[in-house]
Amino acid sequence: MTSLTLSALLRWLREMPGAFRAQPVGFPGGEVRVRAVLADLWEEVTGQPAPPALLAAFEAQSDGKTERNRLRLLLAAAHILWHPTLRASRPQPERLRRFLIQELPAMAAVVPADSVLDDEERGEELIRLALRAAGLHLEGETAHDAEDRLKQVDSVERHRVLAEAAQRERRAREVREAMARKAAEEAAAKVTRE
Amino acid sequence: MGPDDELTRRTPLLDDAGRAMLRRLREHPDAPRWTYAVGDRLAAEDLPALDRFREQLTAGPVPSQPWSPSPVVLQSVAHALVHVPRYRAAVPAHLDLEHDWNLLPTTCRADLAETPWGFVPDDQPLDRLVIYRTAGTTGHPIAIPHHPWAVACYLPMLEHALAAHGVHLDPAPDTVACALLSFQVRTYTYSTVLSAWAGSGFVKVNLRPTDWPSPDSPARYLADLAPQLVTGEPVVLSELLRLGVRLAPRSLVSTSLALSASLRVDLERSFGCPVLDWYSMVETGPIARSCPVGHGLHLLGPDVFVEMLATDGSAVAPGQRGEITVSGGRNPFLPLLRYRTGDFGRLDHAPCPCGDPMPRVVDLEGRPVVVFRASDGTPVGPVDISRALRELPILRHAFVQHADGACELTVQPRPGDPVPGISEIAASISALFGTQPCTIILSADLPPGEPPFRSELPVGR
Ligand SMILES: [Zn+2]
C-alpha cells in the first residue's frame, strides 16, 4: 500500500485515467455513465450494492452546466476513492453518502471540476473531503490538523463569506430587472391551470 | 420582428406541420376569439433532457425512507444552499441535511411575494427566465420565476399519471393533444403546438358564449379538434355537462380545486373516460395525482420531498394532519426549501391497493371551490372580482352572493385615499354580474374574520 501523503494523492489525482475525464452521458459528447461508475465504486468500497435511490442522485437531473460540473466532479471524487488505500479503508456508508450527495454537490456549486486537476488547492480540498469520508487522514496529521486544514481550503465557506457584497447587490438588481422585463412578456404555454 | 419571427421566438421548434396545425386551430370557422399569444419556448437541447426526465419517471418510483428526503433532493438542496441568496443567509454552512433536516427554515408564499429574486440561484443564467403571475383564490398576485424546460416537464408527469389510470396519449403533428377549458368573464385564450408532444396542437379556450362566433361553436369546434386530453377546473368540467358538449377525450384532468366524488362519477359516466384529479401549484409544479382506485393522491415527482408540518414548523407525527410542504423540484429558477403550500392533508405511506409504491396525500383540504353566477348563468370566480376591484382604493373587501343570486359587497376604503364612489364600485360589479342586484356597503372597519368571498348559491346549480 502506498503511503498517504498529499503529494502522492495529488499525483494520483493528476494521473486520473481518460474514462474519468470524459463527458458524462446526457451532455454533448457524453461517454461515461456516472451512475455506473459510482455503483461499482460503492459496491467495491462498502461491500454492499448501492441502493437505487442513491444511484438516482448520480444521474443528470437537467442539461445545465452546473449539473454537468457536479457529475464531472463526482467522477474525480470516484477516482480518489478508488485509490488502493481509500478503497481498502471500508468507509462507513453514511459518511460516504454524505460526501457524495451533500458535500460534493456543494463544492461543485462553486468549483469547476477541471480545477481540481489544475489547481493544487482545489485538488487538496477534494482529496481532504474524500479522506474524511473514508475515515482517514494524511500521514503525520491528527484528525484535528486535518479538520483545520480542510477549513483553510474550504471553497464553499469562502464563497459564503466573501466580501462580494457589491457583486451580490449587482446580481440581485440583475435578477430583479430581468424579472420585471420578463413579466411584461408572455411565459410558456401550460396545459393545466393551477 | 415579423409575425413569423414572433412565432419562432415563442415556439422555436415550430416546423411546417406545426404551422399547418396552427392554421387549423386558428382559422377554423368556429374558432373562438384569441386574446393571447404564447408558445412552449422549448429549444432543441431541451428535448433529450425531457426524455431523460421521462425515463426517470417510468423507471418507476424510487422508494426512499418515508420520512427523509431522497438523495436526489438532498443533492439539489445542497447546491441551493450555496447559491440561493435567501437560503444562504438563513442556513449555516455544512449542516448535515439528512441528519438535521428539521432545523432547516421553512418558506412560504409571503416570502416569495416579498423578495422573489432572492430565490433565484446566483449561478443561473437569466436568458431563459419566464415569469408567471399567480393569484391563488385570495391574496395579491405574485411573480414566480420559471423555466420553459421545467414547465414542459408537466407533460411527462401527465403521461405518467395517465398511465396509472390506463390512459395513453399518442400525440402527433396532426392531432390535438390537449384542450384546456375555462369558463370565466375574462381570461387568456390561445392556441399553439407542443414540441414536447410531437408538435401536436393545444388550445386554451373560454367556454363563455361571448367568446365564440355562434352559440353552437364551442361544441362544434371542440368536437372537430377531438382533443385527446381535456383539462380544467371542476366547475368548468361541470359546465361541459351543463352545456351538453359531446366530446370523447381519453381522459379529463381536473385541476386547481377539489374535485368532488359525485362530479367525478358524473363526468366519467358522461364522457366514458377516466377523470384524474391533479394537485399542482405554480410555485411547486405538479405534486400529486389521484389514485386509480380512489385512495387519495399519489405523489408524483421523483425529485421532490413532501412532508407535513405543524403550524410551529415541526414535522407532524407520521400519518397526522399537517401543512403540505415541498422541497426540491426541477425549476432551476426556484429551488424549493420546505415551501409551505398553505394546503393541509395527511400523508399515508401504507401500501396502496392500486400497487403504486408512492405515498399518498389523503384528506387534502385544498383551495375550496367558490363559484358565483352572473345573471346569464356565467360562472364568476373570485379572481374576476379581485381583478375588477384591483384599481380601486380598497384595503379589504367581503363579497357574498346569496342563494337568490343577489350580491352584497362590503368594502373598507384604503385610509388616506379618496373614498371610492359607490356607483363606480357598482359599475365594476355589474360588468361581471350583469343584472344581478348588488348592494355596496362602505365600512370603516370590516371584521377581521370576514372571508373575502362567500357563496350561498345552492351547490350544483
Ligand atoms: Zn393507489
Side-chain angles (χ1 to χ4, degrees), chain B residues 291 298 352 354 360:
Chain B
C291 166
H298 285 281
C352 184
C354 79
R360 290 161 287 143

Side-chain angles (χ1 to χ4, degrees), chain B residues 255-271:
Chain B
T255 65
S256 312
L257 301 158
L259 171 71
S260 70
S262 60
L263 178 58
R264 185 175 54 77
V265 170
D266 284 354
L267 290 167
E268 286 185 339
R269 198 177 300 133
S270 300
F271 291 95

Side-chain angles (χ1 to χ4, degrees), chain B residues 267-336:
Chain B
L267 290 167
E268 286 185 339
R269 198 177 300 133
S270 300
F271 291 95
C273 68
V275 177
L276 267 75
D277 201 358
W278 183 253
Y279 174 46
S280 178
M281 297 173 82
V282 184
E283 301 94 300
T284 61
I287 297 173
R289 51 86 189 165
S290 53
C291 166
V293 296
H295 288 258
L297 297 137
H298 285 281
L299 298 181
L300 265 168
D303 49 359
V304 293
F305 174 55
V306 174
E307 58 185 326
M308 301 296 188
L309 298 186
T311 41
D312 66 358
S314 63
V316 300
Q320 294 302 299
R321 178 182 180 275
E323 183 169 359
I324 300 170
T325 302
V326 181
S327 298
R330 65 208 71 78
N331 177 353
F333 292 114
L334 182 57
L336 298 167

Side-chain angles (χ1 to χ4, degrees), chain B residues 95-366:
Chain B
L95 193 72
D96 183 346
L97 299 176
E98 207 159 18
H99 191 259
D100 295 324
W101 182 261
N102 288 325
L103 301 180
L104 291 169
T106 64
T107 47
C108 66
R109 190 182 170 84
D111 301 322
L112 271 177
E114 196 185 309
T115 52
W117 48 86
F119 290 84
V120 176
D122 283 341
D123 61 337
Q124 193 60 37
L126 300 173
D127 45 327
R128 300 199 64 200
L129 174 72
V130 295
I131 301 292
Y132 290 95
R133 307 271 292 167
T134 167
T137 48
T138 54
H140 209 67
I142 58 174
I144 304 294
H146 223 305
H147 191 292
W149 176 79
V151 175
C153 284
Y154 283 39
L155 303 182
M157 293 179 99
L158 271 168
E159 291 164 27
H160 187 63
L162 290 165
H165 288 252
V167 176
H168 295 274
L169 305 181
D170 318 291
D174 59 348
T175 62
V176 176
C178 183
L180 194 179
L181 309 182
S182 56
F183 199 136
Q184 270 177 288
V185 175
R186 207 170 347 140
T187 186
Y188 289 135
T189 58
Y190 56 83
S191 48
T192 186
V193 296
L194 301 169
S195 316
W197 268 356
S200 57
F202 167 59
V203 291
K204 175 169 185 264
V205 298
N206 189 0
L207 291 178
R208 195 183 193 210
T210 51
D211 262 46
W212 300 82
S214 81
D216 304 327
S217 291
R220 274 202 304 262
Y221 183 71
L222 290 170
D224 203 26
L225 261 47
Q228 297 185 4
L229 184 64
V230 169
T231 74
E233 295 179 4
V235 58
V236 180
L237 301 179
S238 73
E239 282 303 306
L240 276 182
L241 292 178
R242 200 177 70 115
L243 298 172
V245 176
R246 301 311 311 160
L247 279 179
R250 299 184 188 183
S251 177
L252 296 173
V253 175
S254 163
T255 65
S256 312
L257 301 158
L259 171 71
S260 70
S262 60
L263 178 58
R264 185 175 54 77
V265 170
D266 284 354
L267 290 167
E268 286 185 339
R269 198 177 300 133
S270 300
F271 291 95
C273 68
V275 177
L276 267 75
D277 201 358
W278 183 253
Y279 174 46
S280 178
M281 297 173 82
V282 184
E283 301 94 300
T284 61
I287 297 173
R289 51 86 189 165
S290 53
C291 166
V293 296
H295 288 258
L297 297 137
H298 285 281
L299 298 181
L300 265 168
D303 49 359
V304 293
F305 174 55
V306 174
E307 58 185 326
M308 301 296 188
L309 298 186
T311 41
D312 66 358
S314 63
V316 300
Q320 294 302 299
R321 178 182 180 275
E323 183 169 359
I324 300 170
T325 302
V326 181
S327 298
R330 65 208 71 78
N331 177 353
F333 292 114
L334 182 57
L336 298 167
L337 182 61
R338 307 190 96 197
Y339 181 76
R340 309 176 73 127
T341 59
D343 297 328
F344 289 79
R346 296 188 301 110
L347 204 55
D348 192 344
H349 282 88
C352 184
C354 79
D356 190 311
M358 288 299 265
R360 290 161 287 143
V361 177
V362 292
D363 302 333
L364 172 65
E365 300 158 36

Side-chain angles (χ1 to χ4, degrees), chain A residues 97 109 154 160 171 188 194, chain B residues 83 91 94 98 121 132 154 280:
Chain A
R97 180 181 154 98
D154 182 345
R160 289 171 59 95
R171 169 71 183 182
E194 289 166 303
Chain B
H83 279 304
V91 181
H94 305 309
E98 207 159 18
Y132 290 95
Y154 283 39
S280 178

